[in-house]
Amino acid sequence: MGLHPDLTGEQMQRIMREGQGEGAPQAEGEGAPQAPKKRKYNVNLKAEAWKHFIRGVTKEDGSYTATCKYCGIVYDMGNQKGTGSLRHHYLKSCQKKPTRKNADKKQQLLQFQNATEAGDNKVAVWSFDQATCRKYLAIMVIVHEYPFNIVSHYFFRLFLKTLQPQFKLISRNTLRSDCISLYEQERKSLYEELGKHDCKVSFSTDLWTNHLGDRGFMALTCHYIDDSWRIRKRIINFCPLPTPHTGKNIAEAFYGMLVMWNLDKRAFSLVLDNASSNDACIRELLGGPMRDALPVDGSVFHQRCGCHILNLVVQDGISVLTDEITKVRETMKYLRHSQARMERFKLASSQVKVPNKKPAWDVPTRWNSTYLMLELALELRPAIERYATLDKHYTLKPKDTEWEAVEALMDCLKIFYTATLKFSAVKYPTLNYFFPEMCEVYVSIKNMESSPYPFIVLMATKMFAKWERYWTSGNTLLAIACVLDPRCKVAVVEYYFKLVYPGHHDFYMSNLNACINAMFMEYLEAYNSSLQSQTESSSRTQSQSQRCQSSGASSSGAVNNIRAGLKSLLAEKKTTEPVKSELEQYISEPLDDTALEAEFDILAWWKLKVPKYPVLSRLARDILAVPASTVASESTFSTSGRTLSVVRNSLNDESIEALICAQDWLRAKVTENGEQVGDPLWPSVEATPDDTIAGSQA
């Protein structure tokens, strides 16, 4: 702290001299009369005010001056002893006093930082930051799907003011701008992250139309395995797609997104559902500029969604029991129609000692919800039959033969339901798990043809026709992924091919070997090119350093030439066996017994094998990242339904994409570290009612 800069040096010296007790000079000479003794005035110099004022000399009448150290104002204190006026000036009037932050640096507020922010719980210094508070307000709105006008709600504003009075409240337009800015920052960060990883990227995409049917969007999700061998999934685009949704328009939109993210040369595969427009999209992409950048000329680029294949197969099959399923569905609706019926059904359940469960019906377009409805109906069968005796108006009770048909159907659909759960998992497993599942489903369909129930035989015929249409063209990459599983390799694939294609398994094994060898050779060529460029760069550096050294002949140089000739001679005489490639070495080795564990981590296994299989590990990294279904993209539509709800339909395209993509990125940062974010506040517009059974999207 310093004195007021406007005071002159002479004034400063006078004030300091007077403060030290130096008054006017005494009269000279021996005959000068003695001055009368001055009266002493007691002044409390320990008062708080004197930390901010300079006290002048006390005059004969007891008056003195006080000068502010900051603004230079001078107070004539008279002969009063109090410092109230000085204190009032410092606390209320002085415009140049230092702030508390600068004046008292030793007193600071502390806070606990949790593991999410600092890694370990610890105490750190806290200071209010308006920008940081606005950032986390935007994150809260994006992740938990709050509306922008939450900042205009009276009690929310009151809560913020009570929590932190220094926070300056913002408008909903400012909040929207903060959310857009946060999206741009996260997008730049993701762009840089994708550029750092030396791997191929796979994609899944799907289309969505809002509840009004006037706006269509395309969701694009990328899948890759990072340098730490952790599988990653990110929604990179959710953009409007004008009608018509033809294959050409979808292909142009997809390729434009890849170019924008600089991923057009790194694409590996694209997972789509079985719509005809998607098949046309693949033809457009493979006939365009992407073909040359794809592995094996794009032969494994198009992958069909496993959930959609299962859904189409089962929907065709269960159509033979439409009457029985409809009767069960109408029974469930009848029981839930009124509170009186529910109370009567509860009484029936207690009489036959059946668990008190509420009846629920299915969503007909989701076959797995139909499976759950039938499963519940079989469990409640005794209660339903007892209810028929209590309610004379109930006429929908299934007959014994119909219950028997439902039981037989459930036995057949069990394996389909288990496979669907694996394919539709949000935290999806790697691709190596799905080939055995699909082969077992196929074998189950074949076994259904020998069922004693005629309707099961008919169901198997319809299922088999649909299966042959979609599965045959999409099993190659699943089989290669199974080969890259050290617990399976070629032996397991050959075993299942013999079950699925008896008498023709050699043909399919030959095609599989040709495809995996072609892919390996492409990766080997790319790897050698990378090594060659590194070697050439190193050679140029070495040659430059050698030119700086003496080039004269020496005895050591002659000795080196002799030794080099000897090594060359020994190399010519030495006979060695042909060196196996990494792929041949991997396949020839026995199955890894140490990997026969319940929770085997195939990514961790390949991470450890990178030094041994530098090329094959790159191939495994790209193949294992391919998703088996489009569930990752379809799950986006639950978020989009809440984001673009009836009351928020006026959001523009920029805001919609920013909210959906940023939410996915911010949630991933938390969930991938094992933390829980919490469920969204609002239910989805497309969400099914509480009295229906909605299984995972199939």
Side-chain angles (χ1 to χ4, degrees):
M1 303 180 202
L3 296 176
H4 180 56
D6 295 336
L7 298 177
T8 64
E10 183 178 354
Q11 290 174 331
M12 293 281 192
Q13 293 178 5
R14 180 177 62 80
I15 292 172
M16 295 296 294
R17 186 170 62 251
E18 289 176 352
Q20 295 173 2
E22 296 181 7
Q26 298 181 356
E28 297 181 1
E30 296 179 357
Q34 291 184 351
K37 209 169 191 181
K38 292 184 180 180
R39 179 181 174 183
K40 293 183 179 179
Y41 292 89
N42 296 325
V43 180
N44 183 14
L45 297 179
K46 295 182 179 180
E48 180 70 20
W50 294 116
K51 294 181 180 180
H52 313 288
F53 285 83
I54 299 176
R55 184 184 180 281
V57 66
T58 304
K59 300 179 181 178
E60 294 180 357
D61 59 355
S63 64
Y64 60 93
T65 59
T67 306
C68 179
K69 294 181 177 181
Y70 312 118
C71 65
I73 191 172
V74 179
Y75 282 85
D76 188 357
M77 301 300 294
N79 57 3
Q80 62 179 343
K81 297 181 181 179
T83 58
S85 59
L86 304 182
R87 183 172 178 273
H88 181 272
H89 170 79
Y90 170 70
L91 294 177
K92 304 292 185 181
S93 305
C94 185
Q95 300 296 324
K96 297 187 177 181
K97 66 180 180 181
T99 61
R100 175 177 179 144
K101 182 177 179 180
N102 296 329
D104 192 5
K105 295 184 177 180
K106 295 183 180 179
Q107 185 65 33
Q108 295 177 323
L109 297 177
L110 302 178
Q111 70 169 348
F112 283 100
Q113 290 184 338
N114 55 34
T116 303
E117 297 178 353
D120 295 319
N121 292 337
K122 65 178 182 180
V123 177
V125 177
W126 176 87
S127 61
F128 173 74
D129 187 352
Q130 174 77 9
T132 302
C133 292
R134 285 177 55 176
K135 172 187 174 183
Y136 281 102
L137 176 61
I139 291 176
M140 181 191 74
V141 169
I142 291 173
V143 173
H144 297 292
E145 301 174 7
Y146 297 120
F148 290 145
N149 64 353
I150 190 176
V151 293
S152 63
H153 295 173
Y154 175 80
F155 284 104
F156 182 74
R157 296 172 71 91
L158 183 61
F159 168 74
L160 291 180
K161 272 297 183 185
T162 306
L163 186 66
Q164 177 50 264
Q166 299 182 60
F167 180 73
K168 296 180 181 179
L169 297 173
I170 59 177
S171 66
R172 63 183 183 88
N173 290 329
T174 304
L175 176 59
R176 175 190 174 277
S177 299
D178 289 349
C179 292
I180 298 296
S181 299
L182 182 62
Y183 160 73
E184 294 293 343
Q185 295 172 11
E186 294 295 327
R187 185 184 181 279
K188 181 180 179 181
S189 176
L190 179 60
Y191 183 90
E192 294 173 352
E193 179 187 350
L194 290 172
K196 290 189 302 184
H197 299 305
D198 184 19
C199 63
K200 296 283 187 179
V201 181
S202 295
F203 303 92
S204 61
T205 185
D206 210 338
L207 306 182
W208 178 80
T209 304
N210 69 334
H211 61 283
L212 296 178
D214 59 349
R215 303 173 72 177
F217 294 87
M218 179 177 178
L220 180 63
T221 307
C222 71
H223 309 259
Y224 63 97
I225 296 175
D226 63 15
D227 293 340
S228 300
W229 283 84
R230 292 179 297 180
I231 196 163
R232 300 297 190 193
K233 173 190 72 70
R234 296 291 186 271
I235 301 172
I236 59 175
N237 281 101
F238 190 84
C239 60
L241 185 67
T243 55
H245 296 164
T246 61
K248 183 177 181 180
N249 290 342
I250 297 174
E252 290 177 353
F254 172 76
Y255 186 72
M257 296 175 191
L258 263 59
V259 172
M260 183 174 61
W261 284 90
N262 195 26
L263 297 175
D264 52 308
K265 302 298 182 183
R266 297 172 55 189
F268 186 85
S269 72
L270 175 61
V271 182
L272 298 167
D273 61 23
N274 300 299
S276 58
S277 59
N278 289 332
D279 293 338
C281 169
I282 294 297
R283 290 193 295 269
E284 290 284 340
L285 292 173
L286 294 180
M290 287 194 64
R291 182 183 182 90
D292 296 336
L294 295 173
V296 288
D297 296 329
S299 60
V300 296
F301 176 66
H302 182 202
Q303 296 300 310
R304 297 187 182 274
C305 173
C307 285
H308 279 269
I309 293 176
L310 291 174
N311 184 54
L312 293 173
V313 169
V314 177
Q315 289 286 8
D316 271 20
I318 63 177
S319 63
V320 301
L321 280 183
T322 302
D323 295 339
E324 290 82 355
I325 295 175
T326 300
K327 186 173 286 189
V328 172
R329 183 182 298 121
E330 294 303 319
T331 294
M332 295 295 190
K333 291 181 180 180
Y334 180 87
L335 296 175
R336 289 293 294 268
H337 185 266
S338 66
Q339 184 65 27
R341 292 176 183 176
M342 284 299 301
E343 291 178 357
R344 194 174 300 162
F345 182 75
K346 184 177 180 180
L347 175 62
S349 300
S350 64
Q351 290 178 350
V352 295
K353 295 181 174 54
V354 170
N356 183 23
K357 294 184 178 181
K358 291 183 178 181
W361 61 90
D362 64 333
V363 179
T365 57
R366 302 181 182 180
W367 82 265
N368 46 347
S369 71
T370 303
Y371 175 88
L372 294 175
M373 179 192 69
L374 297 177
E375 184 180 50
L376 178 62
L378 288 174
E379 185 178 359
L380 299 178
R381 176 183 176 181
I384 294 174
E385 293 178 342
R386 180 60 180 171
Y387 179 85
T389 64
L390 300 176
D391 186 353
K392 62 181 181 180
H393 299 290
Y394 173 60
T395 60
L396 298 171
K397 188 187 78 167
K399 301 177 182 178
D400 291 341
T401 55
E402 292 173 331
W403 283 118
E404 185 180 355
V406 171
E407 289 179 349
L409 176 66
M410 292 294 291
D411 291 339
C412 296
L413 296 183
K414 179 67 176 177
I415 189 170
F416 291 90
Y417 181 72
T418 303
T420 300
L421 289 181
K422 292 184 178 180
F423 274 94
S424 59
V426 177
K427 293 184 178 180
Y428 59 90
T430 47
L431 197 65
N432 56 297
Y433 286 95
F434 297 106
F435 180 76
E437 287 287 337
M438 297 299 275
C439 289
E440 290 170 6
V441 168
Y442 180 89
V443 173
S444 298
I445 296 175
K446 297 293 291 183
N447 293 338
M448 288 164 56
E449 294 178 343
S450 58
S451 172
Y453 298 98
F455 75 91
I456 295 292
V457 176
L458 177 60
M459 185 172 69
T461 303
K462 302 185 76 170
M463 284 182 168
F464 185 77
K466 187 71 70 173
W467 184 273
E468 284 292 311
R469 178 179 176 183
Y470 294 112
W471 166 244
T472 305
S473 60
N475 61 5
T476 302
L477 198 60
L478 293 181
I480 294 176
C482 187
V483 171
L484 294 174
D485 189 332
R487 304 167 298 175
C488 302
K489 297 187 178 180
V490 177
V492 172
V493 175
E494 188 172 9
Y495 170 79
Y496 279 109
F497 272 165
K498 288 180 180 179
L499 294 177
V500 175
Y501 307 112
H504 304 283
H505 70 279
D506 290 337
F507 171 77
Y508 290 97
M509 284 300 302
S510 176
N511 290 342
L512 174 65
N513 291 330
C515 184
I516 192 173
N517 277 286
M519 294 180 70
F520 175 77
M521 294 306 297
E522 287 186 4
Y523 274 72
L524 179 62
E525 182 179 354
Y527 180 76
N528 290 336
S529 299
S530 176
L531 288 182
Q532 184 177 0
S533 60
Q534 294 178 6
T535 303
E536 291 176 354
S537 176
S538 176
S539 299
R540 286 194 297 267
T541 304
Q542 185 177 3
S543 61
Q544 291 176 359
S545 62
Q546 288 178 351
R547 284 196 295 268
C548 298
Q549 299 176 357
S550 173
S551 57
S554 62
S555 58
S556 60
V559 172
N560 290 336
N561 291 336
I562 295 174
R563 291 178 178 176
L566 179 60
K567 289 181 179 180
S568 177
L569 178 63
L570 293 176
E572 293 177 359
K573 297 294 183 181
K574 186 178 181 180
T575 58
T576 59
E577 297 181 358
V579 179
K580 291 184 178 180
S581 67
E582 292 180 21
L583 179 61
E584 294 172 337
Q585 183 181 355
Y586 167 78
I587 293 177
S588 63
E589 290 181 351
L591 300 180
D592 193 344
D593 294 336
T594 61
L596 297 176
E597 301 173 357
E599 305 213 349
F600 171 62
D601 188 350
I602 190 173
L603 299 183
W605 190 91
W606 275 106
K607 182 179 180 180
L608 294 175
K609 299 296 181 180
V610 169
K612 184 176 182 180
Y613 305 117
V615 179
L616 191 60
S617 62
R618 292 193 176 200
L619 178 60
R621 176 179 174 180
D622 293 340
I623 290 178
L624 295 176
V626 177
S629 70
T630 60
V631 170
S633 294
E634 291 180 356
S635 62
T636 311
F637 304 148
S638 297
T639 301
S640 60
R642 294 186 297 264
T643 303
L644 198 59
S645 60
V646 177
V647 296
R648 303 179 72 187
N649 197 51
S650 60
L651 285 175
N652 59 28
D653 297 338
E654 180 188 21
S655 298
I656 294 170
E657 183 173 29
L659 292 174
I660 291 176
C661 293
Q663 184 198 62
D664 178 73
W665 304 338
L666 294 170
R667 278 180 172 269
K669 287 184 177 181
V670 178
T671 56
E672 287 176 353
N673 293 326
E675 298 289 336
Q676 296 294 327
V677 178
D679 295 329
L681 177 64
W682 313 106
S684 173
V685 173
E686 285 80 6
T688 55
D690 294 337
D691 47 7
T692 62
I693 298 178
S696 55
Q697 181 82 14

